[in-house]
Amino acid sequence: MKPIYGAAPPPLAAVGLRQLTLHEEGPALTLRLDLPYPADPPRKWVAQGFDTVRTGLAFTGLSALILHGFGTEITADITLTAVGDGVAVHVTAPETTVEAVARTVHLAALRAYAQE
């Protein structure tokens, strides 16, 4: 299987934040994001006319969360930083700020689709 983005993951700058979900189990936080379309996408994506990549980042073992503001059509910069035994996530957008600390983070999904 061909890697979607090659050796390096895409930067998490100016990505579309489409959904933020809190889960009581874990507790956990999931961010659903639209990423930049890859320079060399899989042939299947091209054939189907896909132009957008959506992923989910799942943060489990949440120990801290701050959410300030929210809106629609959020374009954000996201940074992940190692903190102790876990990871800190910072989401920064003009109307929205999210800061969280979790034990783990993993890629929950990676899909392509065609925007309407």
Side-chain angles (χ1 to χ4, degrees), residues 1-2 6 9-10 14 21 23 28-30 32 35 53 62-64 71 73 78-80 92-93 98 101:
M1 183 170 151
K2 171 183 156 184
T21 306
H23 310 271
L29 165 70
T30 302
R32 190 176 305 185
L35 298 176
V53 177
L62 211 58
S63 62
E73 300 296 323
I78 299 174
T79 57
L80 303 175
T92 307
V98 179
V101 177

Side-chain angles (χ1 to χ4, degrees), residues 17-114:
L17 176 60
R18 301 296 172 233
Q19 185 176 14
L20 181 149
T21 306
L22 294 171
H23 310 271
E24 68 179 57
E25 292 180 15
L29 165 70
T30 302
L31 302 177
R32 190 176 305 185
L33 310 169
D34 284 348
L35 298 176
Y37 199 70
D40 185 22
R43 285 184 292 221
K44 178 179 175 181
W45 289 6
V46 173
Q48 294 178 335
F50 295 162
D51 59 6
T52 304
V53 177
R54 181 159 291 168
T55 190
L57 294 177
F59 299 87
T60 58
L62 211 58
S63 62
L65 174 69
I66 297 171
L67 170 63
H68 185 271
F70 212 71
T72 59
E73 300 296 323
I74 298 171
T75 300
D77 294 332
I78 299 174
T79 57
L80 303 175
T81 309
V83 175
D85 318 4
V87 62
V89 59
H90 298 274
V91 178
T92 307
E95 298 178 359
T96 305
T97 303
V98 179
E99 297 179 18
V101 177
R103 190 173 335 111
T104 62
V105 60
H106 70 274
L107 190 65
L110 184 68
R111 298 183 182 96
Y113 68 96

